[in-house]
Amino acid sequence: MAANYNEKLLLNYVPVYVMLPLGVVNVENVFVDPETLETQLKRLKEEAGIDGVMVDVWWGIIESKGPKQYDWTAYKTLFQLIARLGLKIQAIMSFHQCGGNVGDVVTIPIPKWVREVGESDPDIYYTNRRGTRDIEYLSLGVDNLPLFAGRTPVQMYSDYMSSFKENMLELLEAGTIVDIEVGLGPAGELRYPSYPQSQGWVFPGIGEFQCYDKYLKKEFKEAAAKAGHPEWDLPEDVGEYNDKPEKTGFFRTNGTYVSEEGKFFLTWYSSKLIFHGDQIIGEANKIFAGLKVNLAAKVSGIHWLYNHHSHAAELTAGYYNLYERDGYRPIARMLSKHYGTLNFTCLEMKDTDNTAEAMSAPQELVQMVLSRSWKEGIEVAGENALETYGTKGYNQILLNARPNGVNHNGKPKLRMYGFTYLRLSDTVFQENNFELFKRFVRKMHADQDYCGDAEKYGHEIVPLKTPNSHLTMEDISDAAQPSGAFKWDSETDMKVDG
């Protein structure tokens, strides 16, 4: 049956992707159950009209045998199946461990030969004040140190992405792979592992700074000395994972975080993270330049303690965001240099979802991050943080996807670039769930039929350009000046139950 479109309404279309199960290719590098996946994807495509899928491409699987011994066989089979069904692919370069975070049902560590270096030098990992190591992802303190059979982490990530490009070139050139999301930290997010469940963190704890490995310690001391303060050290009064901010010297009212020393530390800690992202996305940009593909990076939705004056949970994660300082626009500025997209999370959440003690404000956080990104002139995509099957979550996503609703005369002023639904499971296909999901996709598509030609809804992918300028500390401090958020409607005009 021919698709039926209203050309003006089609410009309000927001494509919907579905995240594949974490273990779709297992730790032994086997594509486990192609028959079931094909059946499920056919239903999602034919009955719900989804646009594509997102999939983790695990470093710990592909390069598990040894340095530069890549095996793409299982992923090639998976990607060819997806392509055959006419679905687009968002591929995540997953340089982190799977296991230890919310929703992790399988364990896929980083490559064994990388972890073996950590046995004699545990400082390659992010480390908290008490010396506990987090083995999910390599510390950015070793980004440029050739500790891994002569290569640095940045070189390892770069070589991996080059090998991905060589092996998937046909699918990249055919326009099947539309996004490369570059993993930049734990859970694939640009952040420090400040709230690890594996170390006993529970919501809504403040988390802990993760810069006490010997490499970052040394860098901080050098930076402090250069600033004329050789006596400054990494903070000690920061509390533990599940403390309340007011119980710590650092985050309490008029605490260390507002002192000259505290501000210096937070600027250093957050900037290190942004430059880490800048360097690795810069490598991705060099590799994929000229291909019609988008680059993206994921930022974590740390909505708890947002209403506390210290924003403690954001600060420990590396987002230096306060009432008078913008922690997210500098990240958007960095991405804009590489023509990148910012992928945000917790789009389904409402302020009332959590208890008062969590001081949680996901709605304000989402509005702020999206607004700042749009002000930097970049595209924003997003996903839900927790499993979502009900009208409330879907309606909130729809509101965030088009904050001022549908424009019946053409392109809306504000529109997200895409949405990825977390995640494919049998639960999605339970009768009531699937009916509602189908309605949700239809509403994201602005009540239009599935459209396989992104140009028709204003999303033509152009060849990736290389940066025309480099990120500086001045860029970061300029982007950190506070600026308002755009105005959101109180509810979506495209409710799933409307």
Side-chain angles (χ1 to χ4, degrees):
M1 195 176 77
N4 193 9
Y5 305 125
N6 170 322
E7 280 181 20
K8 286 180 175 170
L9 279 175
L10 197 57
L11 292 170
N12 295 270
Y13 187 105
V14 177
V16 176
Y17 296 80
V18 172
M19 182 90 78
L20 294 190
L22 286 165
V24 63
V25 172
N26 71 13
V27 75
E28 273 82 47
N29 205 356
V30 175
F31 176 15
V32 189
D33 187 358
E35 294 77 18
T36 301
L37 185 70
E38 181 164 5
T39 307
Q40 290 180 327
L41 291 182
K42 269 187 179 153
R43 284 196 71 188
L44 287 169
K45 173 88 164 65
E46 290 163 13
E47 296 177 44
I50 67 161
D51 299 86
V53 297
M54 183 181 261
V55 58
D56 283 285
V57 183
W58 297 103
W59 180 35
I61 291 175
I62 299 294
E63 202 179 352
S64 64
K65 297 278 190 289
K68 296 192 184 179
Q69 293 180 39
Y70 308 106
D71 180 358
W72 297 100
T73 322
Y75 273 98
K76 273 189 171 168
T77 312
L78 168 65
F79 281 16
Q80 281 155 0
L81 183 152
I82 297 165
R84 198 169 69 243
L85 297 174
L87 291 163
K88 302 276 190 255
I89 296 169
Q90 299 175 316
I92 312 172
M93 304 290 103
S94 297
F95 298 118
H96 59 287
Q97 163 184 295
C98 179
N101 281 298
V102 178
D104 284 350
V105 290
V106 296
T107 301
I108 301 164
I110 62 175
K112 185 168 181 287
W113 54 271
V114 174
R115 300 195 315 272
E116 280 166 356
V117 176
E119 285 166 19
S120 56
D121 183 4
D123 289 279
I124 66 170
Y125 298 121
Y126 286 122
T127 306
N128 70 5
R129 193 174 49 86
R130 294 187 307 286
T132 310
R133 317 288 183 179
D134 185 287
I135 60 167
E136 290 175 77
Y137 184 83
L138 295 173
S139 162
L140 59 81
V142 297
D143 271 355
N144 296 297
L145 300 177
L147 302 172
F148 304 90
R151 288 189 298 165
T152 69
V154 171
Q155 286 169 333
M156 294 194 291
Y157 304 148
S158 179
D159 290 343
Y160 180 86
M161 292 189 283
S162 294
S163 179
F164 175 86
K165 177 186 141 180
E166 281 163 32
N167 282 274
M168 303 296 178
L169 195 57
E170 211 175 296
L171 293 165
L172 283 158
E173 288 177 338
T176 298
I177 298 173
V178 288
D179 283 338
I180 304 289
E181 183 173 291
V182 184
L184 299 168
E189 296 168 334
L190 179 63
R191 63 172 175 88
Y192 293 92
S194 54
Y195 50 100
Q197 289 185 318
S198 57
Q199 292 181 35
W201 174 86
V202 289
F203 179 86
I206 56 174
E208 293 188 31
F209 294 112
Q210 302 285 333
C211 53
Y212 298 83
D213 63 80
K214 70 182 181 194
Y215 299 107
L216 283 174
K217 256 187 190 160
K218 180 169 173 276
E219 283 190 44
F220 178 77
K221 287 305 284 184
E222 285 166 2
K226 201 173 161 189
H229 286 281
E231 76 283 6
W232 282 352
D233 275 314
L234 292 173
E236 289 290 331
D237 56 351
V238 291
E240 298 187 0
Y241 287 119
N242 298 316
D243 285 343
K244 300 266 188 292
E246 293 299 337
K247 292 276 189 291
T248 72
F250 196 88
F251 300 113
R252 67 175 184 226
T253 308
N254 299 321
T256 309
Y257 84 96
V258 294
S259 69
E260 195 192 347
E261 188 174 347
K263 286 175 178 172
F264 177 83
F265 164 71
L266 289 168
T267 303
W268 172 82
Y269 185 74
S270 57
S271 304
K272 289 297 296 179
L273 187 66
I274 295 171
F275 281 111
H276 161 77
D278 180 57
Q279 188 179 6
I280 296 165
I281 291 200
E283 291 296 318
N285 183 296
K286 279 183 230 163
I287 291 160
F288 296 103
L291 288 167
K292 290 185 178 178
V293 70
N294 292 317
L295 289 183
K298 188 171 163 188
V299 172
S300 181
I302 300 185
H303 54 88
W304 59 101
L305 301 176
Y306 186 88
N307 282 336
H308 188 270
H309 57 79
S310 73
H311 290 248
E314 289 165 272
L315 298 190
T316 55
Y319 306 141
Y320 188 5
N321 187 54
L322 298 168
Y323 180 67
E324 70 289 352
R325 190 191 188 281
D326 190 329
Y328 299 99
R329 194 163 176 173
I331 298 171
R333 174 81 48 99
M334 176 271 284
L335 284 168
S336 75
K337 302 270 183 193
H338 303 286
Y339 306 95
T341 299
L342 190 146
N343 186 15
F344 200 57
T345 178
C346 74
L347 294 188
E348 83 282 16
M349 291 188 176
K350 291 184 76 103
D351 293 356
T352 48
D353 289 353
N354 292 294
T355 58
E357 69 145 2
M359 296 190 181
S360 162
Q363 289 169 254
E364 287 74 12
L365 176 64
V366 166
Q367 288 172 23
M368 192 181 87
V369 174
L370 269 54
S371 296
R372 305 303 202 270
S373 302
W374 284 325
K375 286 179 180 185
E376 283 296 319
I378 68 169
E379 297 286 4
V380 190
E383 50 195 56
N384 48 312
L386 305 171
E387 287 183 17
T388 302
Y389 306 106
T391 52
K392 191 175 75 157
Y394 285 143
N395 287 338
Q396 189 60 28
I397 295 163
L398 282 155
L399 173 61
N400 288 323
R402 288 179 295 258
N404 306 138
V406 164
N407 177 3
H408 292 269
N409 299 310
K411 196 175 169 213
K413 186 177 87 152
L414 303 173
R415 172 179 65 152
M416 289 187 68
Y417 193 76
F419 174 76
T420 301
Y421 177 81
L422 201 85
R423 84 181 45 244
L424 177 58
S425 70
D426 293 338
T427 316
V428 176
F429 295 102
Q430 287 170 6
E431 197 174 343
N432 295 349
N433 290 350
F434 197 48
E435 285 311 306
L436 204 57
F437 179 76
K438 288 195 284 194
R439 230 173 308 160
F440 165 68
V441 175
R442 177 92 192 165
K443 297 297 179 188
M444 289 292 278
H445 290 169
D447 268 336
Q448 302 302 293
D449 288 347
Y450 161 80
C451 177
D453 179 0
E455 204 176 333
K456 285 195 172 131
Y457 52 86
H459 278 189
E460 184 192 0
I461 301 181
V462 296
L464 182 64
K465 294 187 289 216
T466 49
N468 50 14
S469 68
H470 290 293
L471 185 75
T472 62
M473 269 312 286
E474 288 67 41
D475 282 317
I476 291 177
S477 49
D478 176 61
Q481 302 305 312
S483 61
F486 291 117
K487 195 156 173 31
W488 253 240
D489 293 350
S490 60
E491 52 180 41
T492 179
D493 58 346
M494 279 266 166
K495 288 183 169 180
V496 289
D497 53 345

